[in-house]
Amino acid sequence: MKHGRRTLRRAIRLAAVGGLLCGGLMVSHAVAGGTSTGGRTAADAAPPAGVAADLVARLGTSRTAGSWIGADGRPVVAVTDDATAAEVRRAGARAEVKRYSMEDLGTATETLERAPRVPGTAWVVDYASNQVKVYADRTVSATDWSRMSDVAHRAGDVVRMQRTQGEFTTRIDGAVPIFNGTGRCSVGFNVTDGRDNFILTAGHCGPEGTRWFSGDQGLDGQIGTTVARSFPGKDFSLVRYDDRDAFDGTNAVDIGQGRSVPVVGAADPVVGQEVFRSGSTTGLRSGRVTALNATVNYREGTVTGLIATTVCAEPGDSGGPLLAEGLALGVTSGGNGDCTEGGMTFFQPVTSALTALGVRVIDGRLAADRSTVAAPSTPPSAPPSPGGAAPPAQAAAPPGGGTGQRTVTGIVSARELIPGLGVIGVSLLALLGVGRLLAERADRDHLRAHYSQHWG
């Protein structure tokens, strides 16, 4: 009997300790922001989205109508017939049969692009609904709305018109702010051409020759000068650091509360993917990619090829980084709405900006001497997740040294963190319970021994 109780207590203790270990691993996973993939990092693992993209490229624009990541994380490919759907399923992706092909969607957008420009309008190709959605903000007059509706009618039933709240504006001011004397924008990502280091930010922030300063009030110290810019058309610019010593070779995104995320490369996002944006006005925010190759008609001009998202933003967040799993995805261009009522935000894709400018994202994992340029990284082939660039003063410390700031490798996931903490809590209660039982048993044994000696 005694042996059975000892065995039971031992089993309870082992189970409680195992629970603590399990809970600890769950919490570590949540903070690290990714599961193990056979020794590879999340950036190295081949994503499901790659299957869908390959299928769309192989099957062609007449048989497909785009792809996205479903709510269950599986890739979805829109197709135009049952035979193609069967081919997609055999390849391991989910298929949805749609009425309009990519060719049809492309023809509709070309019709919209040929029409006279109406400021306050935007359009995106929505793969899931198989439509080209045209948005008009509150500044679009009834006359212009009627004119756009006529254009949409000529494009066919594939186009859907929709009024939206707020106003499509460029989000001037900034995430981690830099000042030009008359306004502010934010650092997007640190990049290099192998000789000099630069800040990649939004093109609407200022023309070539614009000088940028640091400090809460600006003008505290010159950081650099805009040496290349594209806006409108695209929305990116390149600010060269004036002082090489002003940049310590690190590359990270400040996500608040003393934490930062290293940037490991750049990638193109996928429709349906969860993404993160950091900005000085609204801090760290998340959402999903809703469309690619979006067009927005700002008052300053038309910008094409943008990433459309549900991530909220407000004036002051312009130029800030869009990221996922340590990969740079875009810099904040503009949008409408706010972080109270919601809205849509558009981003300039990083990959196309890097190609046009002839630069690469600096790998934030590489320890770089303050007097040298960090070796440029080869952009990983995987699609996105948290990472980005902060100015040197707020960059994360590279392994083995640096600024000494706390660095995390991913955005903490509350959905994964809470269960782990729960397991730890239950396990601690179990250990406390076992300890109490053992203490009580020891007391009973002590009393029994005492009584047997004194009471006969």
Side-chain angles (χ1 to χ4, degrees), residues 52-373:
D54 290 343
L55 283 168
V56 170
R58 178 165 59 84
L59 296 172
T61 56
S62 64
R63 301 171 63 192
T64 62
S67 65
W68 63 94
I69 298 296
D72 60 356
R74 290 185 58 198
V76 183
V77 178
V79 298
T80 55
D81 59 79
D82 292 334
T84 307
E87 192 170 347
V88 167
R89 294 186 188 105
R90 284 194 296 271
R94 197 164 72 239
E96 290 189 13
V97 179
K98 302 292 186 181
R99 177 180 177 183
Y100 300 108
S101 68
M102 285 295 291
E103 289 182 353
D104 298 326
L105 297 170
T107 299
T109 57
E110 288 172 4
T111 300
L112 295 169
E113 289 166 0
R114 288 195 297 268
R117 188 177 75 89
V118 176
T121 60
W123 52 81
V124 303
V125 177
D126 188 328
Y127 297 143
S129 68
N130 198 223
Q131 294 174 323
V132 176
K133 292 184 177 180
V134 178
Y135 299 95
D137 69 20
R138 65 186 178 192
T139 67
V140 176
S141 67
T143 300
D144 284 340
W145 171 263
S146 177
R147 185 151 55 90
M148 285 298 297
S149 297
D150 290 340
V151 175
H153 180 73
R154 290 198 302 272
D157 294 339
V158 66
V159 178
R160 177 190 171 193
M161 293 283 290
Q162 181 176 334
R163 278 282 192 180
T164 183
Q165 297 298 316
E167 180 179 351
F168 289 121
T169 60
T170 51
R171 299 295 193 185
I172 253 186
D173 296 343
V176 182
I178 49 176
F179 301 83
N180 62 15
T182 59
R184 65 177 178 137
C185 265
S186 76
V187 171
F189 299 97
N190 285 319
V191 299
T192 183
D193 63 1
R195 299 179 302 277
D196 294 312
N197 297 315
F198 307 87
I199 293 169
L200 178 67
T201 189
H204 68 262
C205 290
E208 290 186 29
T210 299
R211 295 187 299 165
W212 293 98
F213 302 84
S214 62
D216 293 339
Q217 303 301 321
L219 310 182
D220 283 358
Q222 183 165 323
I223 296 175
T225 305
T226 300
V227 294
R229 180 222 196 189
S230 178
F231 181 82
K234 301 299 179 183
D235 195 0
F236 58 80
S237 64
L238 202 60
V239 177
R240 181 170 56 209
Y241 283 103
D242 289 338
D243 183 0
R244 181 179 290 254
D245 291 336
F247 178 64
D248 63 2
T250 59
N251 197 11
V253 165
D254 182 0
I255 62 173
Q257 299 181 343
R259 297 173 299 166
S260 55
V261 179
V263 182
V264 300
D268 291 316
V270 178
V271 174
Q273 178 185 7
E274 185 176 15
V275 290
F276 298 85
R277 175 199 58 74
S278 186
S280 66
T281 300
T282 56
L284 183 69
R285 301 285 176 160
S286 66
R288 294 194 178 275
V289 175
T290 57
L292 306 175
N293 297 317
T295 296
V296 184
N297 294 299
Y298 297 124
R299 292 192 174 278
E300 300 90 339
T302 300
V303 180
T304 62
L306 297 174
I307 304 164
T309 73
T310 61
V311 186
C312 71
E314 297 179 7
D317 292 328
S318 186
L322 180 72
L323 49 125
E325 299 298 341
L327 297 174
L329 305 181
V331 293
T332 307
S333 174
N336 73 336
D338 55 38
C339 289
T340 301
E341 300 296 330
M344 63 179 71
T345 303
F346 299 93
F347 298 84
Q348 164 67 46
V350 163
T351 53
S352 59
L354 297 177
T355 300
L357 295 168
V359 294
R360 292 184 178 180
V361 167
I362 294 170
D363 191 332
R365 297 169 298 185
L366 300 177
D369 187 276
R370 297 185 72 89
S371 63
T372 62
V373 177

Side-chain angles (χ1 to χ4, degrees), residues 21-34 409 412 416-417 420 424:
L21 291 174
C22 178
L25 287 173
M26 292 171 70
V27 170
S28 298
H29 165 76
V31 174
T409 57
V412 174
E416 296 178 12
L417 183 62
I424 290 175

Side-chain angles (χ1 to χ4, degrees), residues 442-456:
D443 289 341
R444 287 197 301 271
D445 289 344
H446 173 74
L447 288 172
R448 186 178 294 112
H450 176 79
Y451 290 152
S452 64
Q453 291 172 9
H454 296 86
W455 288 55

